[in-house]
Amino acid sequence: METQTIENKEIATKVTEKISGSEAIVRCLIAEGVKIIYGYPGGAIMPVYDELYKYQDKIHHVLARHEQGATHAAQGFARISGKVGVAIATSGPGATNLVTGIADAQIDSTPMVCITGQVASHLLGSDAFQETDIVGISTPVTKWNCQVTRAADIPAVLAKAFYIAKSGRPGPVLVDITKDAQFEDFDFSYEKCTKIRSYVPIPKTVIGSLEAAAKLINTAKKPFIVWGQGIVLSQAEEQFKALVEKAGIPAAWTILGASALPTSHPLNVGMLGMHGNYAPNKLTNECDVLIAIGMRFDDRVTGKLDEYATQAKVIHFEIDPAEVDKNVKTDVAVLGDAKVTLEAILPLIDENSHEEWHQQFKNLYEIEYEKVIKGDLYPTKEGLTMGEVIKEINIQSKGDAAIVTDVGQHQMIACRYAEFNKTKSNITSGGLGTMGFGLPAAIGAKMAAPEREVVSISGDGGYQMTIQELGTIFQQKAAVKIVVLNNDFLGMVRQWQQMFFEKRYASTEMVNPNFVAIAEGYYIKAKKVTKREELAAAVAEMMASKEAYFLEVCVEKEGNVFPMVPSGASVSEIRLE
């Protein structure tokens, strides 16, 4: 009783002090445990930067070379750490340059808080210099956003922003703060947000749904698990592995789910989707129970929807009720946090092995190996393949590196062939497919996990979209290993032009600069590889470096990524050539 009285007294006594809105912003970030933020200064956010200057011992600000780079770096930070990434920018073009990264974070469920400066409140709506309605622009691509015009509202709004960004299904939040609110003094106090009326981040799990799901799993002859990033976001890797092993069910992953189960695990049967592995795609349409965990049935995974797993009973473990029945009709929906629901269902699951069913996956893997994998990893032709570069990185990193990819052919090859021994090792742009994501995201990942080896893999096209972030790498001394797989093409678009547009390579051939000279211009050690016999030594030198290192590898110009499910086709129609 005495303890209760003391606690009540502490809650009732709210310590306040008079400070400016801009200082309040910095103090709120500190209260939320933020130690690194990414951004770019400008007129409407200058008061906040002035306060950041005073708090350099508590918050490290990373000057990106472009606001889009700041958001991708914040994403990379969030994806490898599990914490909220923070990006900050000024009004107008500074704010609009954040939008691509915000949209990327929204579709890939990445927790991020973006803070933008805004013109003074009396100028709102007047088309003042660098005024843009960033709240209106970002509404479709944020989990929540808000404009603040009074300093007194800053603490509560930022507390709410962090809570919304990280709770339930994570996502990006934007807070737009007018310049006068940043200057205004008020009585400051901060209290973390733990609840919002009418907002239910984690839906209640119905016990009956667990029992129904367990019954279907236990009676299945050909059960198949497809898992996504929900496993990683809920930190359910241990529970997931226990379920897979106890039930003996083959399991395949979406690109954002990669690394939740080690690549080498015998029940990990590979990648789903347009450029996924042959067996998991083909056998999706032969399983009798399809168990989807923490994934949203994206069109790149399902292919033609009306021919996707129509023979199977579908169980969907999902935290976001809006995703259930959105694309694929579910027989049993298990709502809730994956870590909790998987732990709850485990005692209800019978031990099993499904050896004959597993053999079907092995048989199809052998076909894919002979037709595709062997040529990618052990080529006999003269030109270097993207696959053998990834294989060499695996050898040198022993599968412990975090691989951050851009978007394109190299992304699919890296996701297919990279070895992941640890969770949170595959950081890529999934739903939005943002070229330029890789390099800045690798900066954020390395700064969040300096003890880990972080390898950025890009194509020559996407790399040039955010190449200026080499300046951030140099200034921050971020020891990112940068690999550009250069085929002098926008490779993925060129592949489609080859296959579906009679080789009309419209605006896809690249005339590239001297990438090594550019890297060296940023004082980053660099090397170019054009021959197979040079590759192993170059990758070994890169991985041994204690500083940032740039490696350009010239690969075959017209290499294609197979298998491939053509757009609009069924997953059963996956092509090996």
Side-chain angles (χ1 to χ4, degrees):
M1 195 69 182
E2 187 180 340
T3 307
Q4 185 64 44
T5 308
I6 292 169
E7 286 178 355
N8 287 342
K9 202 175 284 183
E10 287 176 352
I11 292 167
T13 309
K14 227 180 195 181
V15 179
T16 63
E17 57 182 306
K18 195 169 277 295
I19 62 173
S20 68
S22 54
E23 184 175 2
I25 292 167
V26 177
R27 296 269 288 270
C28 292
L29 294 175
I30 293 168
E32 289 291 342
V34 176
K35 290 183 169 49
I36 299 176
I37 65 173
Y38 302 86
Y40 205 96
I45 199 69
M46 210 176 296
V48 176
Y49 273 85
D50 190 51
E51 294 300 333
L52 284 169
Y53 183 82
K54 300 170 189 175
Y55 283 90
Q56 292 178 68
D57 60 328
K58 291 195 166 50
I59 291 187
H60 177 55
H61 175 269
V62 177
L63 176 64
R65 296 307 188 262
H66 189 285
E67 291 88 355
Q68 181 183 341
T71 54
H72 292 329
Q75 287 178 273
F77 179 95
R79 292 273 287 274
I80 203 167
S81 69
K83 298 176 182 176
V84 177
V86 179
I88 183 169
T90 192
S91 62
T96 57
N97 282 343
L98 297 176
V99 172
T100 297
I102 293 170
D104 194 285
Q106 172 78 343
I107 201 164
D108 281 354
S109 304
T110 304
M112 182 165 68
V113 170
C114 293
I115 298 170
T116 53
Q118 184 55 276
V119 300
S121 54
H122 72 278
L123 293 173
L124 291 172
S126 70
D127 291 334
F129 177 67
Q130 291 194 331
E131 182 198 358
T132 300
D133 179 13
I134 192 61
V135 170
I137 289 169
S138 65
T139 294
V141 293
T142 48
K143 191 176 176 186
W144 181 67
N145 66 16
C146 182
Q147 187 174 80
V148 177
T149 58
R150 298 186 326 130
D153 296 332
I154 288 171
V157 168
L158 285 178
K160 186 176 178 182
F162 275 88
Y163 175 64
I164 291 173
K166 66 189 175 186
S167 59
R169 180 182 180 177
V173 170
L174 181 135
V175 179
D176 190 45
I177 306 174
T178 61
K179 197 168 183 179
D180 52 324
Q182 296 172 46
F183 279 123
E184 185 184 3
D185 289 339
F186 74 109
D187 290 325
F188 172 78
S189 66
Y190 191 74
E191 193 176 333
K192 287 191 178 184
C193 180
T194 57
K195 188 177 182 181
I196 299 170
R197 189 176 64 181
S198 78
Y199 171 55
V200 184
I202 302 174
K204 187 177 179 181
T205 304
V206 178
I207 301 300
S209 67
L210 291 168
E211 294 168 345
K215 185 177 180 181
L216 281 176
I217 293 168
N218 290 337
T219 56
K221 302 298 182 190
K222 295 182 176 182
F224 182 34
I225 289 173
V226 294
W227 91 82
Q229 191 187 197
I231 300 292
V232 178
L233 292 173
S234 63
Q235 299 177 26
E237 293 92 343
E238 188 181 321
Q239 291 78 7
F240 175 62
K241 182 169 175 278
L243 172 69
V244 170
E245 290 178 347
K246 185 176 184 182
I249 301 176
W253 39 273
T254 68
I255 61 169
L256 292 182
S259 82
L261 192 68
T263 308
S264 58
H265 195 285
L267 295 172
N268 183 338
V269 295
M271 184 169 97
L272 295 159
M274 181 172 279
H275 290 288
N277 292 104
Y278 191 54
N281 275 300
K282 288 284 280 187
L283 296 178
T284 294
N285 283 354
E286 293 186 30
C287 68
D288 57 359
V289 175
L290 184 69
I291 306 134
I293 307 175
M295 56 87 74
R296 58 187 180 84
F297 291 112
D298 173 72
D299 64 295
R300 286 294 172 105
V301 165
T302 64
K304 192 175 181 182
L305 266 175
D306 57 9
E307 294 181 19
Y308 179 80
T310 54
Q311 79 294 338
K313 296 287 186 183
V314 177
I315 302 167
H316 196 174
F317 288 77
E318 179 57 51
I319 197 168
D320 184 356
E323 293 296 345
V324 175
D325 292 333
K326 187 174 83 173
N327 293 326
V328 172
K329 179 65 180 169
T330 300
D331 293 280
V332 178
V334 181
L335 295 176
D337 179 86
K339 186 171 187 174
V340 175
T341 55
L342 291 178
E343 202 161 274
I345 202 171
L346 197 58
L348 307 177
I349 298 298
D350 297 338
E351 289 193 22
N352 214 324
S353 59
H354 300 289
E355 289 177 14
E356 289 183 16
W357 175 228
H358 277 289
Q359 191 58 47
Q360 291 188 45
F361 284 87
K362 291 172 184 174
N363 294 343
L364 291 181
Y365 174 81
E366 290 303 321
I367 294 170
E368 182 184 351
Y369 182 85
E370 288 300 321
K371 291 242 181 192
V372 177
I373 297 171
K374 187 162 73 172
D376 282 346
L377 300 185
Y378 305 97
T380 53
K381 51 192 171 184
E382 187 178 337
L384 278 160
T385 67
M386 294 185 182
E388 63 184 312
V389 180
I390 304 302
K391 181 188 74 174
E392 192 59 44
I393 292 171
N394 288 336
I395 292 168
Q396 301 292 342
S397 70
K398 298 179 173 57
D400 291 334
I403 305 295
V404 186
T405 60
D406 214 275
V407 170
Q409 286 183 317
H410 70 277
Q411 175 193 32
M412 295 296 102
I413 290 290
C415 288
R416 280 175 55 80
Y417 295 125
E419 292 176 3
F420 300 119
N421 294 334
K422 299 177 180 177
T423 188
K424 296 177 183 170
S425 291
N426 185 47
I427 299 167
T428 192
S429 172
L432 198 64
T434 305
M435 292 177 70
F437 172 89
L439 187 63
I443 297 170
K446 183 63 179 177
M447 295 185 78
E451 76 287 353
R452 294 201 64 182
E453 198 69 78
V454 175
V455 181
S456 166
I457 299 174
S458 298
D460 47 312
Y463 177 63
Q464 291 181 80
M465 288 194 169
T466 51
I467 194 171
Q468 71 279 350
E469 299 307 329
L470 289 173
T472 309
I473 289 173
F474 165 60
Q475 185 170 350
Q476 297 298 320
K477 296 181 171 54
V480 176
K481 309 301 164 58
I482 308 151
V483 179
V484 168
L485 302 179
N486 183 5
N487 58 11
D488 293 315
F489 266 111
L490 298 176
M492 188 62 84
V493 184
R494 185 213 56 76
Q495 178 170 335
W496 281 54
Q497 288 172 333
Q498 177 185 334
M499 295 177 68
F500 308 115
F501 294 87
E502 299 176 333
K503 292 191 177 183
R504 292 187 294 275
Y505 295 156
S507 299
T508 47
E509 190 161 9
M510 305 282 286
V511 178
N512 286 316
N514 185 333
F515 288 124
V516 168
I518 292 171
E520 289 176 340
Y522 283 101
Y523 306 100
I524 295 170
K525 190 170 183 181
K527 183 165 281 191
K528 181 176 181 176
V529 168
T530 59
K531 298 176 182 174
R532 183 165 288 122
E533 54 267 27
E534 302 168 338
L535 180 63
V539 173
E541 183 179 318
M542 176 184 74
M543 298 304 289
S545 175
K546 301 299 182 187
E547 300 174 344
Y549 191 107
F550 173 83
L551 179 64
E552 176 188 1
V553 183
C554 296
V555 296
E556 54 184 344
K557 285 193 71 168
E558 296 187 58
N560 290 330
V561 183
F562 286 103
M564 180 179 182
V565 179
S567 182
S570 160
V571 290
S572 297
E573 299 174 272
I574 185 168
R575 293 170 54 172
L576 291 171
E577 56 189 7

